[in-house]
Amino acid sequence: MATATITVTEAPPMPSAPLHGIRSNVGMIRQEHIEPLRPTAKDTPIFEMRRRLDEDGYLFVKNLIPRADVLNVRKDYFEHYQPTGILQPGTLPEDGIFNSAHNPHDHRGIGAGLLPPEEFQIQTLISSHVRPEYLKFLEHPNLRQMVRDLMGWKKETLLRRTMLRHNIPGGLSTGIHYDKLFLRDGGAYFLTAWVPIGDISIQGGGLLYLSDSTTLGKSIEKDFTARAASFSEEERISAFNANMSKFGTLSDDADDFLENKAKGKGRWLTAAYEAGDVVFHDPYAIHGSSKNQDPQGRIRLSTDLRFYEEGSDIDQRWMKYWTPGDGL
């Protein structure tokens, strides 16, 4: 009997963009330490997608969600946020161009430590997580079906605490971490989907993934667990316990982390992300955001979603919408 040959489809090539001039919160990342993420077309056979997720610790799926659906959420977010003065006068909300007359640190998003200075801004961050347009987007059938197909689940549970965050040009980015640091309660596996809400240029503050890093992430967590043996259960599962940094991350210096903690093994992987792309990753995949230096002044907007199999042992602390000071 003849054996059928299955052709694995690579994602269509993106416009060439040099991988240089990329920074973390502390310092430039040397060009020789940066390589491109491997893209995967959305019609790639599922067994190949699963292999890549297992092998790489991430799966970068191109054009999974229709572009228009993503840009509608971006437009709604910045229309909602526009009264804070975040946008350049005379520009469209969906473009998300930062107001160059303002200090970037006066318009912080969530996930980089400090909050914006005004109560009105904080309340806008809170309410953005429960806007109908955004909540509808979280149910997008293309996204949900891909999660089920990748994991072989009949039904998935999305944690209610999502991380809808903007990253201002010149502002602080998210430090180096792996997600299990923040979701230590609940023993079941979870899958993260990082969804860029709009295009993100190479220098626009997109995610960086440390290649082949899940083993290192597990090793670091094993060490944290051993050193927390005498802690109370509440302290042990906290990403902010005595063993951790102020904001629960591993480092703000990507180049130093690679050279010292990773002992020079691996490279930082990134891409020019497009509206419609989704990156799925393992709980122990080490990653963080580059610093937003977008030449057009474009604000990076994205959301972090965590999925469990329905009925599994989830981190119940995350079954509430994000609010400041929730300890997570």
Side-chain angles (χ1 to χ4, degrees):
M1 181 182 293
T3 302
T5 300
I6 298 176
T7 301
V8 175
T9 309
E10 292 289 345
M14 292 180 288
S16 177
L19 298 175
H20 64 75
I22 299 174
R23 304 180 63 91
S24 55
N25 278 333
V26 178
M28 189 73 69
I29 304 173
R30 284 188 287 172
Q31 189 169 351
E32 61 266 31
H33 287 169
I34 302 172
E35 293 182 0
L37 277 172
R38 173 164 64 168
T40 297
K42 63 183 179 181
D43 59 352
T44 299
I46 196 63
F47 72 84
E48 174 64 14
M49 287 187 169
R50 290 170 178 166
R51 185 189 68 79
R52 292 185 183 191
L53 178 60
D54 182 63
E55 181 179 284
D56 296 338
Y58 72 87
L59 183 73
F60 175 28
V61 183
K62 294 293 299 175
N63 310 126
L64 177 63
I65 303 171
R67 179 178 179 83
D69 295 352
V70 179
L71 294 182
N72 283 339
V73 178
R74 182 176 178 87
K75 180 175 183 286
D76 183 75
Y77 181 91
F78 285 118
E79 284 179 342
H80 181 57
Y81 218 91
Q82 194 166 19
T84 67
I86 197 172
L87 297 181
Q88 185 76 13
T91 62
L92 297 173
E94 55 265 39
D95 291 339
I97 305 299
F98 179 58
N99 188 338
S100 59
H102 287 200
N103 186 325
H105 299 295
D106 290 339
H107 290 279
R108 303 182 186 101
I110 68 174
L114 302 174
L115 291 168
E118 302 295 332
E119 181 62 25
F120 173 62
Q121 294 171 296
I122 295 171
Q123 291 303 316
T124 304
L125 283 176
I126 294 170
S127 58
S128 69
H129 283 79
V130 293
R131 289 184 63 77
E133 187 74 25
Y134 176 63
L135 295 179
K136 177 184 175 183
F137 180 72
L138 299 183
E139 301 293 330
H140 201 288
N142 293 31
L143 174 65
R144 294 302 192 105
Q145 189 62 54
M146 180 58 72
V147 170
R148 290 191 291 271
D149 290 347
L150 269 178
M151 302 309 301
W153 295 338
K154 290 184 178 180
K155 181 66 176 173
E156 76 287 355
T157 294
L158 171 63
L159 294 183
R160 190 167 293 169
R161 189 182 191 270
T162 66
M163 302 292 284
L164 178 60
R165 62 182 104 200
H166 64 252
N167 184 343
I168 298 294
L172 288 175
S173 61
T174 308
I176 306 304
H177 66 285
Y178 51 88
D179 291 350
K180 187 66 175 176
L181 284 166
F182 301 95
L183 291 102
R184 286 173 164 153
D185 202 13
Y189 181 93
F190 63 87
L191 180 70
T192 294
W194 180 72
V195 185
I197 303 178
D199 298 336
I200 303 174
S201 67
I202 283 291
Q203 295 184 339
L207 278 200
L208 302 161
Y209 286 89
L210 183 61
S211 62
D212 304 315
S213 63
T214 55
T215 298
L216 177 59
K218 290 176 182 178
S219 175
I220 293 172
E221 185 63 14
K222 183 178 180 180
D223 176 64
F224 280 141
T225 301
R227 291 192 284 129
S230 63
F231 291 3
S232 69
E233 180 66 10
E234 182 179 2
E235 291 173 317
R236 183 191 66 77
I237 64 175
S238 172
F240 312 102
N241 67 38
N243 291 332
M244 309 301 298
S245 70
K246 180 179 179 181
F247 299 125
T249 56
L250 302 173
S251 176
D252 276 318
D253 188 333
D255 226 39
D256 178 75
F257 184 90
L258 190 155
E259 291 185 337
N260 294 299
K261 193 68 177 180
K263 303 188 185 305
K265 297 178 182 178
R267 289 293 182 268
W268 288 109
L269 311 176
T270 192
Y273 301 100
E274 299 176 291
D277 296 347
V278 178
V279 188
F280 299 95
H281 65 251
D282 184 272
Y284 294 97
I286 294 173
H287 60 286
S289 297
S290 61
K291 198 169 184 68
N292 188 347
Q293 307 169 92
D294 185 80
Q296 298 176 18
R298 187 166 43 192
I299 302 168
R300 189 205 95 177
L301 182 64
S302 65
T303 189
D304 296 56
L305 313 174
R306 277 81 186 209
F307 294 95
Y308 286 85
E309 183 175 16
E310 185 178 67
S312 63
D313 183 19
I314 71 174
D315 192 329
Q316 291 287 348
R317 300 173 302 163
W318 283 66
M319 287 304 288
K320 55 186 178 182
Y321 295 115
W322 175 86
T323 56
D326 62 9
L328 300 173

